[in-house]
Amino acid sequence: MKDLVESIAKQLVDDPSQVSVSEIEERGRVRVELKVAKEDMGRVIGKGGRVANSIRVLLRVAAAREGKRASLDIVEP
């Protein structure tokens, strides 16, 4: 799941080297934290959060296939 979020984020941003993804597992849930450069936050979040919500939906589907639950947190730099 970490790889999925990382590959999507790298395609969206201007500076892919600044993309950092960490995965934290706790009690059957997976929390994925995404960090990007400050200038790229708007690209990852999108107008009204549409891009971020789309990434979250894809992440939930991938997690459901593995029988897990997942959430995405976009962390400010």
Side-chain angles (χ1 to χ4, degrees):
M1 286 179 273
K2 175 182 172 181
D3 297 332
L4 173 68
V5 173
E6 186 173 5
S7 65
I8 293 170
K10 283 186 176 183
Q11 296 298 316
L12 293 171
V13 298
D14 284 334
D15 188 5
S17 65
Q18 295 289 318
V19 173
S20 171
V21 180
S22 60
E23 192 174 82
I24 304 162
E25 244 183 273
E26 47 193 29
R27 287 184 255 132
R29 293 193 62 136
V30 178
R31 192 173 83 213
V32 179
E33 291 185 348
L34 172 63
K35 296 178 188 173
V36 297
K38 190 173 186 174
E39 302 82 34
D40 291 323
M41 286 295 286
R43 292 180 182 272
V44 173
I45 295 172
K47 286 187 179 181
R50 288 183 181 165
V51 174
N53 286 334
S54 297
I55 297 171
R56 286 185 177 105
V57 168
L58 291 171
L59 179 63
R60 281 189 214 120
V61 170
R65 285 186 175 183
E66 295 180 14
K68 297 180 182 178
R69 298 183 77 191
S71 63
L72 174 68
D73 294 330
I74 300 173
V75 182
E76 289 190 41

